[in-house]
PDB file of all heavy atoms in Angstrom:
ATOM      1  N   PRO A 473      94.835  75.510  88.655  1.00 73.00           N
ATOM      2  CA  PRO A 473      96.305  75.606  88.601  1.00 73.00           C
ATOM      3  C   PRO A 473      96.954  74.539  87.721  1.00 73.00           C
ATOM      4  O   PRO A 473      97.906  74.807  87.002  1.00 73.00           O
ATOM      5  CB  PRO A 473      96.715  75.457  90.068  1.00 73.00           C
ATOM      6  CG  PRO A 473      95.532  75.929  90.842  1.00 73.00           C
ATOM      7  CD  PRO A 473      94.331  75.522  90.042  1.00 73.00           C
ATOM      8  N   GLY A 474      96.440  73.308  87.781  1.00 73.00           N
ATOM      9  CA  GLY A 474      97.034  72.241  86.988  1.00 73.00           C
ATOM     10  C   GLY A 474      96.921  72.487  85.497  1.00 73.00           C
ATOM     11  O   GLY A 474      97.836  72.179  84.722  1.00 73.00           O
ATOM     12  N   GLU A 475      95.802  73.053  85.073  1.00 78.00           N
ATOM     13  CA  GLU A 475      95.597  73.313  83.651  1.00 78.00           C
ATOM     14  C   GLU A 475      96.389  74.527  83.179  1.00 78.00           C
ATOM     15  O   GLU A 475      96.862  74.579  82.041  1.00 78.00           O
ATOM     16  CB  GLU A 475      94.108  73.519  83.371  1.00 78.00           C
ATOM     17  CG  GLU A 475      93.242  72.305  83.706  1.00 78.00           C
ATOM     18  CD  GLU A 475      91.762  72.579  83.495  1.00 78.00           C
ATOM     19  OE1 GLU A 475      91.451  73.654  82.934  1.00 78.00           O
ATOM     20  OE2 GLU A 475      90.938  71.738  83.893  1.00 78.00           O
ATOM     21  N   ILE A 476      96.501  75.525  84.054  1.00 82.00           N
ATOM     22  CA  ILE A 476      97.156  76.764  83.621  1.00 82.00           C
ATOM     23  C   ILE A 476      98.655  76.579  83.419  1.00 82.00           C
ATOM     24  O   ILE A 476      99.270  77.281  82.629  1.00 82.00           O
ATOM     25  CB  ILE A 476      96.890  77.893  84.647  1.00 82.00           C
ATOM     26  CG1 ILE A 476      97.142  79.257  83.990  1.00 82.00           C
ATOM     27  CG2 ILE A 476      97.765  77.759  85.879  1.00 82.00           C
ATOM     28  CD1 ILE A 476      96.774  80.433  84.869  1.00 82.00           C
ATOM     29  N   LEU A 477      99.262  75.592  84.101  1.00 86.00           N
ATOM     30  CA  LEU A 477     100.708  75.392  83.968  1.00 86.00           C
ATOM     31  C   LEU A 477     101.087  75.078  82.530  1.00 86.00           C
ATOM     32  O   LEU A 477     102.043  75.651  81.980  1.00 86.00           O
ATOM     33  CB  LEU A 477     101.177  74.271  84.897  1.00 86.00           C
ATOM     34  CG  LEU A 477     101.475  74.663  86.342  1.00 86.00           C
ATOM     35  CD1 LEU A 477     101.888  73.449  87.162  1.00 86.00           C
ATOM     36  CD2 LEU A 477     102.566  75.720  86.394  1.00 86.00           C
ATOM     37  N   ASP A 478     100.356  74.156  81.906  1.00 81.00           N
ATOM     38  CA  ASP A 478     100.672  73.806  80.520  1.00 81.00           C
ATOM     39  C   ASP A 478     100.489  75.004  79.594  1.00 81.00           C
ATOM     40  O   ASP A 478     101.309  75.250  78.694  1.00 81.00           O
ATOM     41  CB  ASP A 478      99.765  72.653  80.054  1.00 81.00           C
ATOM     42  CG  ASP A 478     100.048  71.365  80.811  1.00 81.00           C
ATOM     43  OD1 ASP A 478     101.188  71.240  81.320  1.00 81.00           O
ATOM     44  OD2 ASP A 478      99.148  70.521  80.912  1.00 81.00           O
ATOM     45  N   THR A 479      99.425  75.789  79.836  1.00 84.00           N
ATOM     46  CA  THR A 479      99.167  76.963  78.994  1.00 84.00           C
ATOM     47  C   THR A 479     100.293  77.981  79.117  1.00 84.00           C
ATOM     48  O   THR A 479     100.774  78.539  78.120  1.00 84.00           O
ATOM     49  CB  THR A 479      97.834  77.606  79.394  1.00 84.00           C
ATOM     50  OG1 THR A 479      96.791  76.645  79.276  1.00 84.00           O
ATOM     51  CG2 THR A 479      97.528  78.820  78.523  1.00 84.00           C
ATOM     52  N   LEU A 480     100.743  78.210  80.347  1.00 85.00           N
ATOM     53  CA  LEU A 480     101.774  79.217  80.564  1.00 85.00           C
ATOM     54  C   LEU A 480     103.129  78.756  80.046  1.00 85.00           C
ATOM     55  O   LEU A 480     103.908  79.567  79.515  1.00 85.00           O
ATOM     56  CB  LEU A 480     101.860  79.560  82.050  1.00 85.00           C
ATOM     57  CG  LEU A 480     100.616  80.224  82.647  1.00 85.00           C
ATOM     58  CD1 LEU A 480     100.833  80.529  84.126  1.00 85.00           C
ATOM     59  CD2 LEU A 480     100.271  81.508  81.897  1.00 85.00           C
ATOM     60  N   GLU A 481     103.436  77.495  80.210  1.00 82.00           N
ATOM     61  CA  GLU A 481     104.713  76.986  79.700  1.00 82.00           C
ATOM     62  C   GLU A 481     104.772  77.126  78.183  1.00 82.00           C
ATOM     63  O   GLU A 481     105.811  77.464  77.613  1.00 82.00           O
ATOM     64  CB  GLU A 481     104.904  75.525  80.106  1.00 82.00           C
ATOM     65  CG  GLU A 481     105.189  75.316  81.593  1.00 82.00           C
ATOM     66  CD  GLU A 481     106.525  75.911  82.020  1.00 82.00           C
ATOM     67  OE1 GLU A 481     107.339  76.283  81.149  1.00 82.00           O
ATOM     68  OE2 GLU A 481     106.754  76.014  83.242  1.00 82.00           O
ATOM     69  N   ALA A 482     103.650  76.881  77.521  1.00 82.00           N
ATOM     70  CA  ALA A 482     103.615  77.052  76.065  1.00 82.00           C
ATOM     71  C   ALA A 482     103.738  78.532  75.696  1.00 82.00           C
ATOM     72  O   ALA A 482     104.414  78.887  74.722  1.00 82.00           O
ATOM     73  CB  ALA A 482     102.318  76.472  75.505  1.00 82.00           C
ATOM     74  N   ALA A 483     103.106  79.388  76.484  1.00 83.00           N
ATOM     75  CA  ALA A 483     103.154  80.827  76.187  1.00 83.00           C
ATOM     76  C   ALA A 483     104.565  81.388  76.349  1.00 83.00           C
ATOM     77  O   ALA A 483     104.974  82.275  75.591  1.00 83.00           O
ATOM     78  CB  ALA A 483     102.184  81.572  77.098  1.00 83.00           C
ATOM     79  N   ARG A 484     105.314  80.867  77.311  1.00 81.00           N
ATOM     80  CA  ARG A 484     106.673  81.377  77.547  1.00 81.00           C
ATOM     81  C   ARG A 484     107.584  81.155  76.343  1.00 81.00           C
ATOM     82  O   ARG A 484     108.569  81.882  76.165  1.00 81.00           O
ATOM     83  CB  ARG A 484     107.279  80.706  78.778  1.00 81.00           C
ATOM     84  CG  ARG A 484     106.628  81.091  80.092  1.00 81.00           C
ATOM     85  CD  ARG A 484     107.260  80.348  81.241  1.00 81.00           C
ATOM     86  NE  ARG A 484     108.659  80.733  81.421  1.00 81.00           N
ATOM     87  CZ  ARG A 484     109.525  80.074  82.189  1.00 81.00           C
ATOM     88  NH1 ARG A 484     109.137  78.959  82.817  1.00 81.00           N
ATOM     89  NH2 ARG A 484     110.766  80.489  82.315  1.00 81.00           N
ATOM     90  N   ARG A 485     107.261  80.174  75.529  1.00 81.00           N
ATOM     91  CA  ARG A 485     108.104  79.880  74.359  1.00 81.00           C
ATOM     92  C   ARG A 485     107.750  80.738  73.148  1.00 81.00           C
ATOM     93  O   ARG A 485     108.451  80.695  72.132  1.00 81.00           O
ATOM     94  CB  ARG A 485     107.968  78.391  74.006  1.00 81.00           C
ATOM     95  CG  ARG A 485     108.570  77.459  75.070  1.00 81.00           C
ATOM     96  CD  ARG A 485     108.629  76.028  74.580  1.00 81.00           C
ATOM     97  NE  ARG A 485     107.308  75.428  74.496  1.00 81.00           N
ATOM     98  CZ  ARG A 485     106.720  74.772  75.490  1.00 81.00           C
ATOM     99  NH1 ARG A 485     107.344  74.630  76.656  1.00 81.00           N
ATOM    100  NH2 ARG A 485     105.520  74.242  75.329  1.00 81.00           N
ATOM    101  N   GLN A 486     106.690  81.537  73.254  1.00 85.00           N
ATOM    102  CA  GLN A 486     106.304  82.401  72.144  1.00 85.00           C
ATOM    103  C   GLN A 486     107.160  83.668  72.161  1.00 85.00           C
ATOM    104  O   GLN A 486     107.377  84.262  73.221  1.00 85.00           O
ATOM    105  CB  GLN A 486     104.822  82.770  72.245  1.00 85.00           C
ATOM    106  CG  GLN A 486     103.884  81.575  72.174  1.00 85.00           C
ATOM    107  CD  GLN A 486     102.430  81.982  72.360  1.00 85.00           C
ATOM    108  OE1 GLN A 486     102.104  83.159  72.281  1.00 85.00           O
ATOM    109  NE2 GLN A 486     101.578  80.997  72.618  1.00 85.00           N
ATOM    110  N   PRO A 487     107.626  84.118  71.005  1.00 84.00           N
ATOM    111  CA  PRO A 487     108.513  85.293  70.961  1.00 84.00           C
ATOM    112  C   PRO A 487     107.892  86.550  71.566  1.00 84.00           C
ATOM    113  O   PRO A 487     108.565  87.324  72.233  1.00 84.00           O
ATOM    114  CB  PRO A 487     108.772  85.479  69.458  1.00 84.00           C
ATOM    115  CG  PRO A 487     108.531  84.128  68.863  1.00 84.00           C
ATOM    116  CD  PRO A 487     107.448  83.503  69.676  1.00 84.00           C
ATOM    117  N   ASP A 488     106.572  86.742  71.347  1.00 83.00           N
ATOM    118  CA  ASP A 488     105.947  87.968  71.850  1.00 83.00           C
ATOM    119  C   ASP A 488     105.730  87.933  73.353  1.00 83.00           C
ATOM    120  O   ASP A 488     105.383  88.949  73.962  1.00 83.00           O
ATOM    121  CB  ASP A 488     104.617  88.217  71.132  1.00 83.00           C
ATOM    122  CG  ASP A 488     103.658  87.047  71.287  1.00 83.00           C
ATOM    123  OD1 ASP A 488     104.136  85.912  71.503  1.00 83.00           O
ATOM    124  OD2 ASP A 488     102.442  87.269  71.207  1.00 83.00           O
TER     125      ASP A 488
END
Side-chain angles (χ1 to χ4, degrees):
E475 299 177 9
I476 199 174
L477 276 178
D478 294 336
T479 302
L480 295 181
E481 289 294 348
R484 291 178 65 193
R485 293 190 289 270
Q486 298 177 14
D488 57 335

